[in-house]
Amino acid sequence: MSTDQPPSDPHPTVQDVVAAADALWPFRLQEDWDASGLVLGRPEAPVRRIHLAVDPVAAVVREAVDAGADLLLTHHPLLLRGVTSVAADGFKGRVVHDLVENRCALLCCHTSADSARRGVSDALIAACGVGPDDAAPLVPHSSDPRTGLGRVGTLDEPVILRELAERLARRIPPTVQGLRVAGDPERRVSTVAVCGGSGDSLFDVVRSHGADVYVTADLRHHPASEARERALGPGEHGTPALVDAAHSASEALWLPWAAEDLQRALTARGYAVEIHVSTLRTDPWDLTVATPPQ
């Protein structure tokens, strides 16, 4: 009997979606401390609509439920740390109950999507102007050197730092933070390193690749200050300059890619499913107030 027969049900099951996600963003690539994978849902339940978002917060869950989603796929895990209760009197418990009571599964693809090809960092470096096929991992994964955390690549044409930051600002979702930049705005940059999400642990790796600029998020004062001091020291040539985005904005660029790739993968298996990308801003900050001049 042929193994290429179309499925008897035109809709995938939760397990079918998990399998497709595992093929696109293999769970084996996730970091040891991570919690990517299926969090809630019956594996045999049919999936007609999938909702994609960065964060499994209450507003996103409500958006997914209101849209009639059978599965919510988020980048960030809901239960990354151990919990002893998911009672509905806590905010995570309420999310769990809202999903279960509305028969919406939850699938998280976190550092697996960070490391995979066409993942979070590929989308971020593409927004900078480096094609995914022209970017290499900053930290290659031991099981496959084509995958791994972060990306580094060379722009087709060098640009000044200000132009790169303005290009990125036009392409990432808006947040109250915008972009913070450390470095001479007029200096020319060619080699770009990126890490979607928190990336200040990779400064030494970025420097070893000779990157002119490093684009990431969640840069803390002391690591950023030390990186800048070292960059301005003798013989360091002012590298790397830093571009600091809001955490969720640096990762949200991946969602349209994920929707497209997941749609293609499920369609190729003969399944019919609708996939939508959330437009909600889940960055936690609401307002910035400029310090008045002294």
Side-chain angles (χ1 to χ4, degrees), residues 40-113:
L40 300 169
R42 294 185 180 277
E44 71 277 10
V47 177
R48 299 169 181 81
R49 295 181 180 87
I50 300 172
H51 204 68
L52 267 64
V54 173
D55 295 299
V57 295
V60 166
V61 169
R62 178 48 50 193
E63 182 185 53
V65 168
D66 289 346
D70 304 297
L71 185 145
L72 172 61
L73 190 159
T74 63
H75 180 51
H76 290 145
L78 174 66
L79 304 174
L80 184 58
R81 302 287 183 263
V83 297
T84 59
S85 172
V86 289
D89 57 356
F91 67 94
K92 289 195 175 185
R94 286 194 295 273
V95 164
V96 169
H97 280 261
D98 284 346
L99 289 167
V100 170
E101 290 166 5
N102 288 280
R103 298 186 179 182
C104 182
L106 176 62
L107 171 64
C108 300
C109 298
H110 190 208
T111 55
S112 57

Side-chain angles (χ1 to χ4, degrees), residues 250-273:
S250 73
E251 297 170 326
L253 293 166
W254 168 69
L255 295 179
W257 288 28
E260 178 184 342
D261 292 346
L262 186 58
Q263 184 82 68
R264 184 185 301 113
L266 292 171
T267 299
R269 291 166 170 78
Y271 294 118
V273 63

